[in-house]
Amino acid sequence: MATDIRTSELKSPIDVAEYLFRRLHEVGVRGVHGVPGDYNLVALDYIPKAGLNWIGNCNELNAGYAADGYARVKGISAVVTTFGVGELSLLNAIAGGYSEYVPIVHIVGTPSTISQREGMLLHHTLGNGNFQVFANMSQNVSCATAKLNDPHDAATLIDNAIQECWIQSRPVYITLPTDMVQKKIEGERLKTPLNLNFPPNDEEKEDYVVEVVLKYLHAAKNPVIIVDACAIRHRALDEVHELVEKSGLPTFVAPMGKGAVNEQLPNYGGVYAGSGSNAGVAERVESSDLVLTIGSIKSDFNTAGFTYRVSQLSTIDFHSTYMRVRFSEYPGVRMHGVLKKVTRKMGKLNIQAGPVPDNQIAKKDQGMSQGEVITHDWLWPRVGQWLEPNDIVITETGTSNFGIWETKFPAGVSAISQVLWGSIGYSVGACQGAALAAKETGNKRRTILFVGDGSFQLTAQEISTMIRNELNPIIFVICNDGYTIERYIHGMDAAYNDIQTWKYKDLVAAFGGREEKTRTYQVKTKREAEDLFANEEFASVKGGLRFVELYMPKEDAPKALKMTAEASAKTNAKQ
């Protein structure tokens, strides 16, 4: 057992748990997600003392998804679970955060240091005296681990974990044993804010890389920019926006980069995803003699099945920990400083205009005859016409994720999806977290979710958490009888891609939603959808929770989904 620090030696004694939660408050966390368990109960008492709110979720997996969505809006989040059973239920969501660079502080209430040392046969253990097995599992999906087993180094470990979470933009894992919660440590440290600044580049190295970039940029006849997810996750959007606006270069986003640039700029050209790109985009990007990629993640679903056709010989990659110019790599040179200097020094560039996307519905899809069903070709441009500046748009893995590629956003829209990790059901929990973050920042942004019926069934309980916390999301459940993306990969008519039909909108009442604070809708035709989009009460920021059953044909899907699914099936079939 760790020895106590004499209280008389401390200038400002503070309990370990309070110190931890006050540091979280300092970096912007206000709502703490999670599920109570006997190993974390005393620690939870400290949440309100630190000016935080407890957001109890229906299960740990949902809590993790919610923390992920919250962090994507607020910049960082926290989730609390209990030892063993709780933390393992959360692990899928934490792995998603690690995969997609989302900063989540995961706090685990554990048995006391005494119980661990003596190898006691406690509940929530494997019964073999090994108390490190779950921490070892989490270590592979955390960028830092802090085991608060000794008050002498607890504050240092807490500070380091939160700093690494912020700077690396990935989850961290903190264990808080029951006998450490109320141990006294030095509170004077709280007077010194955490240093959340990125370490500066070596100036000589940075200047050299800038000159190399400028040499190729000035020589290029028709350069373009592609912005992707890591520009968002690693907080480089200010630098990106300045480069895009001042250069005037045709600028595109990868699917994971949706929302990274102002899509109302005249030089915004649409989504580049190889064969799944918006109209005219692939031709423009792939004919360019220089492509500046910023924060790119060239995964299968982010490139429509690896159909990304840009040679490295004509590419400059900007990343969070290195730069790559053609085939030369410069480790330790972060993109932030390079982007700033390139923007400042670039001068006049050669520009060939790119395509200009819009939200026009194709003539063949404009029909509004009686009973005409809703199709993806009609829906997603129409959604673009309905969206408002600064909306938060969450799309589920599947038809929604691919459909949103065809939606041109108003300025300031944030897009949340899980293209790389792709855990179905993610978006419902993420919607709760994002809606909470929107509420905490003034309730001036709409939170809008598009999720398929199959995915919704995995995490439907979080509607209850949204109601409990009086959140105002607008939720569209796309009712198309099962797992459409999986049907296109394999088993179009297979029973394993079918689901039980639910009375989805009735769940709002079942979860305790009151009529005066919630609204439900059922939409089966284009005309009904058009009427709904025109309804001002439905579209308002503070209209309470709104839940829409939106029916679409079972076999209808966005073109990009069909292409990507076909490529995925071929990859899976390789021998």
Side-chain angles (χ1 to χ4, degrees):
M1 183 177 69
T3 56
D4 289 352
I5 303 174
R6 289 176 181 265
T7 305
S8 59
E9 297 174 3
L10 302 173
K11 293 181 181 178
S12 302
I14 188 172
D15 293 358
V16 169
E18 185 174 354
Y19 183 96
L20 169 58
F21 289 124
R22 284 182 61 182
R23 279 301 199 199
L24 290 172
H25 186 281
E26 177 190 317
V27 297
V29 174
R30 293 297 180 270
V32 178
H33 291 91
V35 177
D38 62 331
Y39 294 129
N40 66 30
L41 293 176
V42 177
L44 299 185
D45 290 338
Y46 287 82
I47 287 176
K49 296 177 184 177
L52 305 175
N53 297 308
W54 171 247
I55 311 298
N57 296 90
C58 297
N59 60 54
E60 290 87 358
L61 179 59
N62 289 357
Y65 292 153
D68 183 303
Y70 182 97
R72 295 193 196 213
V73 177
K74 286 292 290 283
I76 193 169
S77 66
V79 58
V80 182
T81 64
T82 197
F83 178 74
V85 294
E87 59 182 307
L88 293 191
S89 292
L90 177 74
L91 200 54
N92 172 21
I94 293 296
Y98 188 86
S99 170
E100 300 222 349
Y101 292 94
V102 183
I104 304 168
V105 178
H106 177 199
I107 302 160
V108 183
T110 70
S112 71
T113 57
I114 303 168
S115 300
Q116 293 187 49
R117 188 183 69 242
E118 295 180 357
M120 295 179 68
L121 193 63
L122 299 178
H123 60 287
H124 300 341
T125 71
L126 299 179
N128 59 4
N130 183 352
F131 286 86
Q132 303 308 312
V133 61
F134 309 126
N136 292 341
M137 292 179 187
S138 286
Q139 196 165 11
N140 293 307
V141 290
S142 306
C143 70
T145 298
K147 297 179 180 178
L148 308 183
N149 295 328
D150 190 328
H152 289 84
D153 61 8
T156 301
L157 291 173
I158 290 168
D159 290 357
N160 178 70
I162 295 173
Q163 285 172 312
E164 291 302 311
C165 184
W166 182 275
I167 290 169
Q168 295 193 45
S169 195
R170 274 182 155 161
V172 295
Y173 178 87
I174 299 176
T175 62
L176 182 57
T178 55
D179 60 337
M180 281 291 297
V181 171
Q182 296 173 308
K183 295 291 188 191
K184 300 295 183 185
I185 59 175
E186 183 56 77
E188 281 290 297
R189 294 174 62 108
L190 292 171
K191 294 179 180 178
T192 305
L194 296 175
N195 180 7
L196 302 179
N197 296 318
F198 295 121
N201 292 330
D202 176 275
E203 193 167 359
E204 194 172 12
K205 258 188 182 181
E206 181 178 273
D207 287 342
Y208 175 77
V209 173
V210 168
E211 291 308 313
V212 174
V213 171
L214 289 172
K215 180 182 78 169
Y216 287 111
L217 189 55
H218 288 143
K221 302 299 183 191
N222 60 343
V224 300
I225 299 169
I226 301 176
V227 185
D228 207 345
C230 282
I232 305 170
R233 306 291 192 272
H234 294 292
R235 312 172 204 276
L237 290 187
D238 288 345
E239 293 86 349
V240 169
H241 293 164
E242 189 177 20
L243 173 65
V244 170
E245 291 179 26
K246 289 188 176 179
S247 71
L249 292 175
T251 298
F252 307 88
V253 295
M256 289 178 72
K258 275 289 280 181
V261 301
N262 179 0
E263 298 187 8
Q264 296 300 310
L265 289 173
N267 53 323
Y268 173 73
V271 173
Y272 177 68
S275 298
S277 303
N278 294 160
V281 170
E283 295 83 354
R284 179 65 186 87
V285 170
E286 292 164 10
S287 65
S288 173
D289 60 350
L290 183 67
V291 179
L292 307 182
T293 76
I294 306 176
S296 69
I297 299 176
K298 297 173 185 175
S299 68
D300 51 356
F301 281 16
N302 206 33
T303 59
F306 300 116
T307 57
Y308 188 104
R309 289 180 290 270
V310 176
S311 169
Q312 187 60 43
L313 199 59
S314 58
T315 300
I316 297 177
D317 296 314
F318 295 76
H319 285 286
S320 60
T321 56
Y322 68 95
M323 289 284 302
R324 185 188 291 125
V325 181
R326 303 176 82 177
F327 289 103
S328 298
E329 194 163 302
Y330 303 91
V333 180
R334 301 184 70 92
M335 59 181 158
H336 302 73
V338 177
L339 285 167
K340 283 181 182 176
K341 288 183 179 177
V342 167
T343 302
R344 192 168 70 238
K345 296 181 176 183
M346 65 188 169
K348 187 172 175 58
L349 304 174
N350 296 314
I351 297 175
Q352 291 185 19
V356 179
D358 56 41
N359 284 315
Q360 294 302 309
I361 298 169
K363 193 170 183 180
K364 70 178 179 63
D365 299 307
Q366 289 177 2
M368 280 284 173
S369 59
Q370 185 69 29
E372 187 149 352
V373 298
I374 301 163
T375 63
H376 286 282
D377 286 347
W378 179 86
L379 176 65
W380 298 107
R382 185 63 187 88
V383 166
Q385 298 169 16
W386 174 74
L387 291 177
E388 298 176 358
N390 302 314
D391 282 342
I392 301 167
V393 180
I394 302 126
T395 51
E396 176 61 59
T397 296
T399 54
S400 303
N401 245 348
F402 290 91
I404 205 71
W405 300 5
E406 300 298 329
T407 300
K408 182 179 180 180
F409 289 160
V413 169
S414 298
I416 296 176
S417 61
Q418 206 185 47
V419 175
L420 179 55
W421 186 244
S423 183
I424 61 172
Y426 158 83
S427 67
V428 183
C431 176
Q432 183 262 291
L436 177 69
K439 181 180 179 180
E440 291 178 359
T441 51
N443 236 356
K444 295 176 182 176
R445 308 179 70 185
R446 299 189 304 178
T447 304
I448 302 160
L449 167 65
F450 293 93
V451 57
D453 49 7
S455 296
F456 178 76
Q457 290 194 5
L458 273 77
T459 48
Q461 310 97 311
E462 283 317 293
I463 298 297
S464 170
T465 309
M466 297 178 207
I467 293 169
R468 181 185 182 192
N469 289 279
E470 298 186 343
L471 304 180
N472 299 308
I474 301 173
I475 299 169
F476 293 88
V477 175
I478 296 174
C479 301
N480 55 5
D481 293 327
Y483 303 119
T484 299
I485 185 171
E486 296 184 2
R487 292 190 195 282
Y488 274 95
I489 294 173
H490 183 80
M492 178 60 75
D493 298 309
Y496 47 72
N497 285 326
D498 296 335
I499 59 170
Q500 172 64 30
T501 300
W502 288 4
K503 296 179 180 178
Y504 294 98
K505 64 186 182 67
D506 293 354
L507 290 173
V508 175
F511 287 134
R514 301 200 304 274
E515 285 187 14
E516 65 272 20
K517 291 196 173 183
T518 60
R519 298 283 185 274
T520 61
Y521 308 83
Q522 188 177 79
V523 173
K524 293 189 175 183
T525 67
K526 288 182 184 177
R527 174 52 59 197
E528 291 172 349
E530 191 65 48
D531 291 343
L532 187 63
F533 286 135
N535 183 325
E536 291 184 7
E537 181 185 41
F538 172 75
S540 68
V541 174
K542 297 181 180 180
L545 184 144
R546 282 140 289 172
F547 189 101
V548 183
E549 287 183 4
L550 190 148
Y551 286 81
M552 303 184 78
K554 177 178 176 179
E555 295 182 6
D556 187 40
K559 296 182 189 71
L561 182 148
K562 295 176 183 177
M563 291 180 190
T564 307
E566 183 181 358
S568 184
K570 288 178 181 176
T571 301
N572 294 345
K574 284 181 180 177
Q575 300 294 322

